Amino acid sequence: MDVNLVALRFIEALKYVDDHTTTVTHSRAGDPYLQGIQSMNERDTVDEVVEYWKSTYPTDFVPPKVCLTEQPYPESKAKKADILFDSYVVEVDKTESKTKWAIEAKRFQFVGDN
C-alpha cells in the first residue's frame, strides 16, 4: 500500500464519517455537541475511519489483520500508533509480519466559542 492510496482513502473516509457518524460527544457541562468529525475525539475518529475503509475496500486489507489500530510502538509499550499497516510475507508454515506504515492521526481544534 503506497502513501498516495493511504491519503486518498483516509480523506474519503473522513468525509463519509463526518456525514454519517452516530457518535455523540458531550461538553463538560453534559450538553451534546453536533455530530461530526469536529466534535469527535481522535480515537473514535480513527476507529470509524478504519471501519469505513475496511468495509468499503476489503481488498486493501488482505489478510484482514493488515490494518490494526492502537498498537504499541516497539520502543515503548506506553506509546501507541493510531494505525499500523503491515506487509506480510507468507512462508511454508508461518506468517511473518513487518510493519510498513505507522500513522498518527492528529486532531486540530480551535479553542473558544467564536
Side-chain angles (χ1 to χ4, degrees):
M1 184 169 304
D2 73 18
V3 71
N4 292 321
L5 181 62
V6 170
L8 289 172
R9 296 284 201 250
F10 209 86
I11 291 166
E12 178 183 325
L14 282 171
K15 290 177 184 177
Y16 179 86
V17 170
D18 189 43
D19 288 340
H20 296 90
T21 187
T22 58
T23 299
V24 177
T25 307
H26 295 84
S27 70
R28 289 183 184 157
D31 300 320
Y33 291 121
L34 296 175
Q35 291 176 336
I37 294 289
Q38 297 86 350
S39 63
M40 291 171 66
N41 67 42
E42 183 180 292
R43 181 179 246 175
D44 288 338
T45 303
V46 168
D47 288 345
E48 288 194 35
V49 162
V50 170
E51 182 181 316
Y52 167 81
W53 190 348
K54 285 181 174 182
S55 66
T56 306
Y57 300 101
T59 57
D60 285 354
F61 305 102
V62 177
K65 288 188 176 183
V66 76
C67 178
L68 304 169
T69 59
E70 290 295 312
Q71 296 298 302
Y73 283 107
E75 69 277 1
S76 171
K77 300 300 179 195
K79 297 178 182 176
K80 295 185 179 184
D82 294 319
I83 304 171
L84 286 183
F85 291 101
D86 289 343
S87 57
Y88 283 82
V89 178
V90 179
E91 297 181 355
V92 176
D93 291 327
K94 64 180 181 178
T95 301
E96 289 183 16
S97 173
K98 296 181 182 176
T99 300
K100 188 167 184 175
W101 297 101
I103 298 173
E104 286 295 323
K106 293 300 169 207
R107 185 173 178 266
F108 290 97
Q109 180 173 354
F110 295 106
V111 178
D113 59 359
N114 50 1

